[in-house]
């Protein structure tokens, strides 16, 4: 089963999936780029759906402005299937006084497992202590639950905070079977993260390396794919750092080396100044309307459909 904000789903029903966007996100690292308006985020979700997507992962983990009840309302209104995230982002996203800085592996594990099995808190900001009883988000009488775990590390660095998160994610994975998305800076530390998680009982084929394309090295990617890891390509429309032309070439090369069954796609647009509904550009529809036609012309429909449908369904299926 795949766990969406509106309930569990047969993986065959998931459909075309964008594996990395944010409908809600508030981080001290991104001042002025808050995604916190349900109506506007809902409009943007509708544009994503109309660009050809049936499903998305909302990749915002604990403490960064999640709004599970709003996600459920947007999903119900648009028909877009949404998988919500639990976990903790890389350390830089959390203020110096953030309460979870003091939490142990065990406390974090309980939070993550609770989000997946029983339901997410209505508002993360209200959570002061892992032992406190929290109001669970509800839609139409059912709890709104997360369906994927997430952590993150820094550029060639795993801080104590981030290592604690990874250990808790592994423990939560062992209990729930949910996949683990890991935010990487320029794809650094990818093998090291897979090693750390494998030592904790997480097979690499349950791990999605988000932003792998920030180091467009087909050899590196093939070596990660050979271990079974999923490669998140989600850096389109950022010509200041890397042209889409380079990402198209990378994808063609990785597919030709036989690793196309490990690639998943997302936009990770993530900032209100990049959302059309908030008055910015290019919006969540960019991937479907501008990039995918070029990718299809280059590698063919079969390869692209695997990246959009079969690969995300395999990743998101709870392994027990
Ligand atoms: Zn993101």
């Amino acid at each position: 089963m795949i766990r969406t904000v509106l309930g569990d789903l047969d993986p065959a029903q998931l459909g075309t999936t964008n594996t990395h966007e944010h409908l809600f996100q508030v981080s001290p690292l991104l001042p002025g780029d808050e995604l916190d308006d349900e109506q506007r985020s809902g409009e943007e979700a509708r544009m994503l759906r109309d660009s050809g997507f049936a499903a998305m992962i909302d990749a915002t983990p604990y403490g960064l402005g999640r709004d599970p009840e709003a996600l459920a309302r947007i999903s119900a209104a648009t028909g877009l299937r949404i998988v919500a995230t639990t976990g903790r982002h890389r350390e830089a996203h959390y203020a110096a006084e953030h309460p979870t800085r003091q939490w142990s592996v065990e406390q974090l594990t309980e939070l993550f497992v609770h989000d997946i099995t029983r339901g997410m808190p209505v508002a993360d900001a209200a959570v002061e202590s892992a032992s406190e009883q929290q109001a669970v988000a509800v839609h139409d009488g059912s709890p709104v639950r997360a369906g994927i775990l997430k952590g993150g590390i820094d550029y060639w660095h795993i801080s104590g905070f981030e290592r604690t998160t990874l250990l808790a994610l592994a423990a939560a994975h062992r209990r729930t079977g949910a996949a683990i998305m890991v935010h990487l800076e320029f794809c650094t530390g990818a093998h090291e993260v897979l090693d750390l998680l494998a030592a904790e009982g997480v097979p690499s084929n349950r791990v999605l390396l988000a932003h792998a394309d920030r180091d467009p090295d087909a050899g590196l990617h093939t070596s990660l794919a050979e271990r079974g890891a999923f490669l998140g390509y989600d850096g389109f429309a950022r010509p200041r750092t890397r042209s889409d032309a380079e990402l198209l070439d990378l994808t063609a090369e990785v597919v030709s080396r036989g690793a196309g069954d490990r690639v998943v796609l997302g936009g990770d647009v993530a900032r209100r100044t990049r959302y059309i509904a908030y008055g910015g550009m290019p919006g969540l529809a960019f991937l479907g309307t501008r990039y995918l036609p070029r990718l299809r012309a280059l590698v063919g429909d079969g390869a692209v459909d695997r990246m959009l449908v079969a690969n995300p369904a395999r990743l998101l299926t709870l392994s027990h």
Side-chain angles (χ1 to χ4, degrees):
M1 282 306 199
I2 291 172
R3 186 146 297 164
T4 77
V5 293
L6 296 184
D8 287 356
L9 192 72
D10 182 331
Q13 293 182 306
L14 183 66
T16 306
T17 302
N18 178 320
T19 55
H20 198 132
E21 298 294 354
H22 302 266
L23 293 181
F24 295 93
Q25 179 168 264
V26 178
S27 165
L29 205 56
L30 301 167
D33 264 317
E34 293 77 13
L35 295 166
D36 55 3
D37 180 312
E38 180 173 347
Q39 199 237 326
R40 289 169 193 257
S41 290
E43 268 175 53
E44 198 74 34
R46 202 176 293 276
M47 289 184 244
L48 174 66
R49 181 203 65 191
D50 292 345
S51 73
F53 283 94
M56 63 165 278
I57 296 175
D58 182 90
T60 304
Y62 179 80
L64 299 180
R66 298 189 303 179
D67 192 338
E69 291 188 345
L71 283 185
R73 284 191 291 269
I74 289 171
S75 179
T78 61
L80 187 68
R81 307 184 199 288
I82 300 175
V83 175
T85 299
T86 188
R88 200 168 62 164
H89 213 306
R90 72 189 178 98
E91 183 170 4
H93 279 283
Y94 296 88
E97 68 280 7
H98 195 272
T100 70
R101 282 186 177 274
Q102 311 304 326
W103 287 15
S104 65
V105 171
E106 292 71 25
Q107 283 173 296
L108 281 174
T109 304
E110 289 310 315
L111 171 77
F112 301 161
V113 170
H114 189 281
D115 279 4
I116 291 174
T117 59
R118 295 171 61 192
M120 302 159 76
V122 173
D124 293 342
V127 178
E128 299 280 295
S129 142
S131 58
E132 246 172 67
Q133 281 296 319
Q134 293 302 321
V136 164
V138 171
H139 182 84
D140 266 357
S142 298
V144 181
R145 300 185 291 182
I148 189 167
L149 296 154
K150 181 179 180 182
I153 65 168
D154 208 336
Y155 184 79
W156 280 125
H157 181 63
I158 304 175
S159 71
F161 174 103
E162 291 155 356
R163 183 175 303 274
T164 300
T165 306
L166 291 170
L167 295 175
L169 293 171
H173 165 82
R174 294 194 300 268
R175 284 167 59 183
T176 63
I180 300 175
M181 176 191 296
V182 183
H183 166 105
L184 301 176
E185 291 283 308
F186 299 93
C187 205
T188 58
H191 280 294
E192 290 75 8
V193 163
L194 294 179
D195 290 344
L196 189 158
L197 291 173
E200 295 294 318
V202 184
S204 295
N205 65 8
R206 302 301 295 133
V207 181
L208 164 56
L209 301 168
H211 322 316
D213 58 343
R214 304 311 198 273
D215 181 1
D217 177 344
L220 170 65
H221 290 202
T222 307
S223 71
L224 294 165
E226 280 167 358
R227 298 181 67 171
F230 286 88
L231 304 163
Y233 289 4
D234 49 38
F236 317 110
R238 292 160 171 85
R240 205 153 51 181
T241 47
R242 187 160 296 108
S243 170
D244 287 352
E246 198 174 348
L247 299 178
L248 288 163
D249 290 346
L250 166 73
T251 314
E253 179 64 21
V254 166
V255 168
S256 80
R257 295 185 188 206
D261 62 340
R262 314 315 305 175
V263 176
V264 295
L265 304 173
D268 194 23
V269 184
R271 295 161 183 259
R272 72 188 286 147
T273 48
R274 299 281 177 268
Y275 277 49
I276 290 170
Y278 285 86
M281 288 197 293
L284 298 196
F286 177 92
L287 175 59
T289 57
R290 304 276 187 222
Y291 185 82
L292 288 182
R294 299 176 69 190
L295 187 63
R296 288 184 182 281
L298 187 65
V299 301
D301 288 338
V304 174
D305 289 339
R306 261 204 314 284
M307 296 174 205
L308 293 173
V309 182
N311 299 351
R314 219 162 60 242
L315 171 75
L316 288 169
T317 300
L318 302 176
S319 42
H320 58 264

